[in-house]
Amino acid sequence: MIGREHVMKFAVLGKALDEKSFLHSPLLIANSNCSCTINLIFLMRGLHVPRMTVMLKHGANQSDDLRPHTKLWSANGHQGNDWMESEMIVNLLHDSRPFQVEIKLTEVIHDRGDVFIDAISFHQCDVSFFSEASGYKLNIQEE
């Protein structure tokens, strides 16, 4: 269902030139060696659209800037007036560290560009929520 549910808009109005906006998933951990598919449904339109980057950040007990990360996908500029979908493959083989998905907007130069996110979904994943305090895992059931 594209473009029909709750939609999130990144607010860039009044941001400084080098200021960034972030969206983070909860901390997750793989229950088994697997590869996941992450689908992102988005709309990037306007005259000055910032760069949107999707990163996979590894680890839990470090400052955010020091955590190792992997760039999964990136786009910038006007992408059209229709909702688009990006599919990213995340390889969690032999990785026992907690991880987090980060969506980041950078290169904000003006308020004449919009970035909307309609849905972020994980498919074919065997992951759980991870609690830093206790190391507790809560299983996620796919529908």
Side-chain angles (χ1 to χ4, degrees), residues 105-130:
L105 293 187
T106 56
E107 300 175 18
V108 176
I109 60 170
H110 202 279
D111 63 350
R112 291 184 169 173
D114 295 317
V115 176
F116 297 91
I117 295 176
D118 183 43
I120 304 167
S121 56
F122 293 74
H123 301 279
Q124 301 167 342
C125 293
D126 184 15
V127 296
S128 299
F129 291 110
F130 179 81

Side-chain angles (χ1 to χ4, degrees), residues 4-119:
R4 295 193 178 111
E5 296 181 25
H6 297 288
V7 175
M8 178 176 37
K9 178 183 180 186
F10 278 92
V12 296
L13 187 61
K15 297 267 186 188
L17 178 62
D18 292 331
E19 199 166 345
K20 300 172 178 84
S21 295
F22 297 89
L23 172 67
H24 291 104
S25 74
L27 277 171
L28 302 169
I29 191 161
N31 294 322
S32 62
N33 289 334
C34 64
S35 292
C36 276
T37 303
I38 299 174
N39 286 25
L40 174 68
I41 298 173
F42 65 95
L43 178 64
M44 296 173 69
R45 65 176 178 202
L47 190 59
H48 299 284
V49 179
R51 175 176 296 280
M52 181 167 59
T53 305
V54 179
M55 308 284 284
L56 187 69
K57 295 203 151 195
H58 306 278
N61 297 323
Q62 299 169 315
S63 166
D64 204 48
D65 292 337
L66 300 175
R67 291 167 61 191
H69 59 275
T70 305
K71 180 178 170 181
L72 300 176
W73 177 86
S74 180
N76 69 314
H78 181 76
Q79 301 293 313
N81 291 319
D82 296 320
W83 290 95
M84 301 182 75
E85 185 173 2
S86 175
E87 184 177 282
M88 297 155 270
I89 305 296
V90 179
N91 186 353
L92 300 172
L93 297 173
H94 312 295
D95 195 346
S96 60
R97 298 174 293 177
F99 67 92
Q100 192 171 39
V101 177
E102 174 186 87
I103 299 174
K104 177 171 58 172
L105 293 187
T106 56
E107 300 175 18
V108 176
I109 60 170
H110 202 279
D111 63 350
R112 291 184 169 173
D114 295 317
V115 176
F116 297 91
I117 295 176
D118 183 43

